[in-house]
Amino acid sequence: MEDRIELLQGTLDLLILRTLQLGPVHGHGIAKAIQRSSEDVLLVEEGSLYPALHRLIKRGWVTYEDGASENNRRAKFYRLTPTGRKQVLVETTKWEKLTRAIARVLRPA
Amino acid sequence: MEDRIELLQGTLDLLILRTLQLGPVHGHGIAKAIQRSSEDVLLVEEGSLYPALHRLIKRGWVTYEDGASENNRRAKFYRLTPTGRKQVLVETTKWEKLTRAIARVLRPA
DNA sequence: GGTCTTCCATAGACATTCTAGGTCGAGACT
DNA sequence: AGTCTCGACCTAGAATGTCTATGGAAGACC
């Protein structure tokens, strides 16, 4: 296949949190949303997605309710908790700080 | 203890390659250079640095010669191979593609 | 009823970083 | 001479997070 780009470790949580900022979405929908908004650059594997979601739940940043998808399939609609909502900002800031730092190193003096 | 920021997995190789673009440097010097040019945001632990360097050598992107440091200590001066020099561009492009993609996801529509 | 697709999930492999140790030698100080 | 610190190098093992591969359940569709 083509140039698959692997996610950087630690970035998936942020991508998920940010996606959930727009409202409750089920797992499959999160993956599709990230793929779409990244213009097909980022492909979230299920084997990465669900462990990540469970991680976020464990940390109290995300919760879910059972429901039915647009296609009438059983689905869990994940959404941010109040803590999670704050955490999005923390994580976003951290990401920006980090990428700015890396950019400085990459930019040849 | 302040807000230690951990490196993202996969970014260290690029940081090292980019640092070596400026000329041969010994390990300790690489760590200091990255710390300095990132304005103390990125701290490269030795336990990450040396495995990374050996990885890059194994891939044929980096090589080294023995020499003496500014302080007259024994040191290995690491430098890019011709292949490594090309690889810097590849890795830089990948990084930019990835961060652009992530930025699109983070940017709320 | 059979098959496709959607949605959820996990086990195990893999890669990279960190923690926590250790070595060895140069220079400084006593 | 002895000892201390620091510079430079290194590794083992733990921790983390992603990927590969796989499976299951249930609705849709023929």
Side-chain angles (χ1 to χ4, degrees):
Chain A
M1 287 311 295
E2 12 112 21
D3 258 358
R4 283 278 291 96
I5 282 204
E6 300 208 343
L7 285 181
L8 290 173
Q9 247 189 228
T11 54
L12 182 53
D13 291 6
L14 176 57
L15 295 175
I16 293 174
L17 291 174
R18 201 74 177 199
T19 301
L20 293 182
Q21 255 188 338
L22 307 174
V25 197
H26 54 73
H28 200 68
I30 295 173
K32 280 191 303 181
I34 292 175
Q35 178 170 355
R36 202 180 55 74
S37 66
S38 74
E39 294 168 19
D40 288 328
V41 175
L42 305 177
L43 305 180
V44 181
E45 304 296 332
E46 300 191 328
S48 313
L49 177 66
Y50 291 105
L53 282 169
H54 299 156
R55 205 157 58 222
L56 295 173
I57 290 172
K58 203 167 182 181
R59 289 187 192 141
W61 300 347
V62 166
T63 184
Y64 70 88
E65 287 106 27
D66 289 317
S69 74
E70 322 75 49
N71 301 318
N72 199 31
R73 297 293 200 299
R74 280 190 303 104
K76 294 186 178 175
F77 284 81
Y78 299 91
R79 61 176 173 76
L80 294 178
T81 63
T83 318
R85 206 163 288 281
K86 288 184 203 125
Q87 197 60 28
V88 186
L89 303 180
V90 175
E91 298 292 319
T92 305
T93 304
K94 254 165 69 178
W95 169 257
E96 284 168 355
K97 179 173 176 182
L98 196 56
T99 48
R100 267 199 305 273
I102 292 177
R104 280 196 291 273
V105 177
L106 298 194
R107 192 178 321 280
Chain B
M1 291 284 296
E2 11 110 26
D3 257 359
R4 282 280 289 96
I5 282 204
E6 301 208 342
L7 284 182
L8 287 173
Q9 247 190 228
T11 55
L12 182 53
D13 290 6
L14 177 56
L15 295 174
I16 293 175
L17 291 174
R18 201 74 175 196
T19 301
L20 293 182
Q21 255 188 339
L22 307 175
V25 197
H26 53 73
H28 201 68
I30 295 173
K32 280 191 302 180
I34 293 176
Q35 178 170 354
R36 201 180 54 76
S37 65
S38 73
E39 293 167 19
D40 287 328
V41 174
L42 306 176
L43 304 180
V44 180
E45 304 296 333
E46 300 191 331
S48 313
L49 177 66
Y50 291 105
L53 282 168
H54 299 156
R55 206 157 57 224
L56 295 173
I57 290 171
K58 203 169 181 179
R59 289 186 192 141
W61 299 348
V62 166
T63 183
Y64 71 89
E65 287 105 30
D66 289 317
S69 73
E70 322 74 51
N71 302 319
N72 197 32
R73 298 293 201 298
R74 280 188 304 104
K76 294 185 177 175
F77 283 82
Y78 299 92
R79 61 177 174 76
L80 295 177
T81 63
T83 319
R85 206 162 287 280
K86 288 184 203 126
Q87 197 59 28
V88 186
L89 303 180
V90 175
E91 298 292 319
T92 304
T93 304
K94 255 165 69 178
W95 168 256
E96 284 168 355
K97 179 174 177 183
L98 195 57
T99 48
R100 268 200 305 273
I102 292 176
R104 281 196 290 272
V105 178
L106 298 194
R107 193 179 320 281

